[in-house]
Amino acid sequence: MADNVPKTEEESLPTLNAGTQMFQDLDANVSATEVESLCMRCEKDGTTKIMLTRIPHFKSIILLSFECPHCGLKNNEVQSGEALQEKGHRYELRCSTKADLSRQIVRNNSASVSIPDFDFTAPPATNSMLTTAEGLISRFVEDLSMDQEQRKEVVPEVYAAIETLLEKLRNSLLLPEEEGGEGSEYAFTMVVDDPSGNSYVENLCAPNPDPKLSVHYYRRTREQLIQLGVLNPDAEDVEQLEQQKKAHFDMREEMRAAESVMKAVKEASDSNEVLSFPANCSSCNSPCDTRMQMVDIPHFQEVIIMSTTCDNCGYKSNEVKCGGAISKKGKRITLIIEDKEDLSRDILKSETSSFNVPELDLDMVAGTLGGRFTTIEGLLRQVHDELDRRVPFLEGDSAVQERRQRFEKFLSRLEDAADGKIFPLTITVDDPMAHSYIQNIYAPDPDPNMTTVVYERTFEQNEDLGLNDINVDNYAQEEEQETKE
């Protein structure tokens, strides 16, 4: 009899013990929580299933599924369980074949979708969804087609305009199988703009950059912050500006703070000490320690190595930050690897550098993996492990078998290269900040297998690095004036 007693909402919800992660990895052991909820159609009790999980391409998400046994109403929804990203993301996708229409897209409810070729923009939705480019367009067609008969009678000019747009949207689904085929004139560009930074568009060329997909990062405007609920729209602009000023350090104060930290790290390194300070794990948010020490790389410069280990969930991370002034020029280092000894060379890949190995079809853009100080073999293994765990849409029932096999073959070649089974290899590290380094085993003599090219940064590179906005006019005079005061 006790088994037939319905559970209350409080009893059905999962309880989390200390150290238990709320968002667990998606696998067969992750179960959904069922709660009774009101059906909005028949106003009787239905069932909502809730699953808190983490998937590689979207981190933490909330899956919701509602079904009413009385009237048959069903509804599925995906919500982001992530905090706001540091910057907003804008994806620009050029669709010219059927494969582009099949790209999977995570559209957060804060993201707008536009097709500039059609002068069409869809505002942020009421809920998030996991769909494809074709699914988004089909949804737009379905929504715009509603009430068209009424518009034809009441506002015929609006009806005609929407019909023209519907025709363009329907034609966009007739793209050819291959480039240049019949229907290629219907190619278009889709833009997914998400101020929260929690949307995603599938990269069909992973792990390499996709020539049809570009990602831009930007600082949010005041209107976008209001849209996300970060700012109060009813407050005065002056008050909002004051709050923003309080939320951000003055640049000079930030520089002084950085200098004091660098001084403390250098003093600790001189005495062979490792600095340790409290932090929170980025995986489970439990308290953990981050360790920091400065290391002097011969024939290069001093760098700061940081390492974080979480005793609760086992998460580990390490990163390298380069100190010193900003270089006036960029640097491109190319090394030809001919034997296993070359794999043991030290390499510093800064967070601003790209990493390229043409023999493996490996092309990593700047920012991938962050800063790393390791050996060439170690870097190849780290790339292998990161790609094996984090590349999206290559596991589960959403994966395309052909792409999965091609990716597995790529990972196998990458592992063989790290094991010293593939020679020669050409490694290129391109760093516009000139903060990257590959060990010269012939130092101080030139390395016959290594070439270094120093070049002028382009305007676009300076823009991405934030150097075009730096204003140092009268900076010394202002510093002297502050010192006198």
Side-chain angles (χ1 to χ4, degrees):
M1 293 296 292
D3 294 338
N4 297 327
V5 177
K7 294 183 179 181
T8 64
E9 182 174 342
E10 289 78 6
E11 291 172 331
S12 62
L13 291 175
T15 57
L16 297 178
N17 299 322
T20 302
Q21 298 184 29
M22 178 176 292
F23 293 89
Q24 301 181 14
D25 292 333
L26 184 59
D27 55 35
N29 297 323
V30 178
S31 59
T33 301
E34 296 187 7
V35 295
E36 289 187 357
S37 53
L38 181 67
C39 175
M40 303 306 294
R41 177 186 289 176
C42 65
E43 298 186 355
K44 295 182 180 180
D45 287 339
T47 303
T48 296
K49 296 181 180 180
I50 306 173
M51 179 183 291
L52 309 180
T53 185
R54 294 186 305 182
I55 51 180
H57 63 283
F58 200 41
K59 297 185 180 179
S60 301
I61 64 170
I62 304 172
L63 301 177
L64 301 171
S65 175
F66 174 80
E67 183 175 359
C68 178
H70 306 286
C71 66
L73 177 65
K74 295 182 180 181
N75 183 38
N76 299 316
E77 186 176 340
V78 179
Q79 294 184 3
S80 172
E82 287 294 311
L84 294 181
Q85 302 301 312
E86 182 178 352
K87 294 183 179 180
H89 296 177
R90 183 173 66 255
Y91 293 88
E92 295 184 5
L93 170 65
R94 184 63 180 175
C95 295
S96 57
T97 63
K98 288 286 187 182
D100 297 323
L101 293 175
S102 301
R103 291 175 186 255
Q104 300 188 70
I105 297 177
V106 175
R107 183 194 182 187
N108 196 39
N109 58 2
S110 59
S112 63
V113 180
S114 62
I115 305 178
D117 306 77
F118 305 157
D119 292 329
F120 170 74
T121 301
T126 56
N127 53 10
S128 303
M129 64 179 68
L130 174 59
T131 181
T132 62
E134 181 179 1
L136 274 179
I137 295 176
S138 299
R139 183 72 175 267
F140 297 151
V141 171
E142 180 182 348
D143 292 345
L144 289 171
S145 299
M146 296 177 60
D147 302 326
Q148 271 293 80
E149 293 300 323
Q150 291 85 338
R151 294 192 192 100
K152 186 176 182 180
E153 299 294 334
V154 181
V155 279
E157 62 278 3
V158 176
Y159 165 83
I162 293 179
E163 279 297 317
T164 302
L165 176 59
L166 285 172
E167 182 180 1
K168 294 179 180 178
L169 290 174
R170 293 189 182 103
N171 288 338
S172 67
L173 300 177
L174 304 177
L175 295 177
E177 295 289 341
E178 298 180 357
E179 296 284 351
E182 184 179 354
S184 58
E185 66 272 14
Y186 302 132
F188 63 94
T189 300
M190 177 181 289
V191 180
V192 179
D193 191 339
D194 187 3
S196 73
N198 287 326
S199 292
Y200 183 85
V201 178
E202 182 181 11
N203 177 358
L204 296 181
C205 300
N208 296 322
D210 193 322
K212 294 185 178 181
L213 179 65
S214 60
V215 187
H216 306 276
Y217 304 93
Y218 60 88
R219 295 189 180 277
R220 304 178 185 92
T221 63
R222 183 177 185 275
E223 290 72 19
Q224 289 172 332
L225 291 173
I226 292 175
Q227 172 195 333
L228 296 172
V230 178
L231 291 183
N232 180 9
D234 299 326
E236 296 291 336
D237 289 344
V238 176
E239 181 181 345
Q240 299 285 4
L241 291 174
E242 289 297 325
Q243 292 179 357
Q244 292 182 30
K245 288 180 181 179
K246 293 179 181 179
H248 296 83
F249 287 109
D250 180 84
M251 181 176 290
R252 280 184 282 272
E253 292 180 357
E254 188 174 351
M255 290 179 65
R256 294 192 190 99
E259 289 174 357
S260 63
V261 171
M262 291 286 290
K263 183 179 179 181
V265 173
K266 187 172 181 60
E267 291 176 352
S269 300
D270 291 340
S271 57
N272 203 25
E273 294 181 18
V274 178
L275 289 182
S276 178
F277 54 90
N280 286 338
C281 174
S282 60
S283 178
C284 68
N285 205 37
S286 298
C288 61
D289 290 331
T290 294
R291 296 171 178 83
M292 178 188 300
Q293 187 174 32
M294 181 175 288
V295 176
D296 186 10
I297 301 179
H299 308 288
F300 186 55
Q301 64 183 40
E302 292 181 328
V303 298
I304 298 176
I305 299 179
M306 296 183 294
S307 174
T308 301
T309 303
C310 179
D311 296 332
N312 179 51
C313 68
Y315 174 79
K316 295 180 180 180
S317 70
N318 60 80
E319 193 169 356
V320 177
K321 296 289 186 182
C322 296
I326 297 176
S327 173
K328 293 183 179 180
K329 296 183 179 181
K331 181 183 293 185
R332 184 184 303 108
I333 307 173
T334 302
L335 172 67
I336 299 177
I337 299 178
E338 297 180 336
D339 51 42
K340 287 189 175 183
E341 291 184 2
D342 289 331
L343 291 174
S344 62
R345 293 183 188 229
D346 291 335
I347 181 172
L348 169 63
K349 191 199 80 67
S350 76
E351 58 187 0
T352 58
S353 68
S354 61
F355 182 73
N356 176 266
V357 186
E359 291 85 355
L360 302 178
D361 292 328
L362 174 63
D363 188 4
M364 292 168 44
V365 298
T368 308
L369 288 182
R372 290 289 186 270
F373 182 41
T374 178
T375 62
I376 294 177
E377 177 188 352
L379 183 60
L380 291 175
R381 295 196 186 279
Q382 289 179 13
V383 173
H384 176 279
D385 295 342
E386 286 292 318
L387 293 176
D388 192 25
R389 292 198 310 263
R390 300 182 181 275
V391 171
F393 301 120
L394 288 174
E395 295 182 359
D397 54 8
S398 67
V400 179
Q401 187 66 22
E402 181 182 354
R403 289 188 57 218
R404 180 190 296 173
Q405 292 176 353
R406 185 169 67 248
F407 187 71
E408 288 176 351
K409 182 179 179 181
F410 167 80
L411 288 180
S412 177
R413 282 183 54 81
L414 188 59
E415 187 173 14
D416 288 344
D419 291 338
K421 298 178 180 179
I422 300 178
F423 294 111
L425 293 174
T426 305
I427 289 180
T428 301
V429 179
D430 191 344
D431 190 351
M433 296 284 280
H435 282 165
S436 294
Y437 159 85
I438 298 180
Q439 181 185 12
N440 177 4
I441 58 178
Y442 297 93
D445 297 328
D447 191 323
N449 290 338
M450 185 189 302
T451 58
T452 302
V453 178
V454 178
Y455 60 89
E456 294 283 349
R457 285 189 292 265
T458 64
F459 178 86
E460 290 74 16
Q461 288 176 323
N462 285 329
E463 185 71 18
D464 292 339
L465 296 170
L467 301 178
N468 291 333
D469 299 328
I470 293 181
N471 183 9
V472 295
D473 293 341
N474 303 321
Y475 181 76
Q477 290 85 340
E478 292 178 6
E479 284 286 307
E480 293 177 0
Q481 183 66 24
E482 286 187 0
T483 304
K484 292 179 182 179
E485 294 177 355

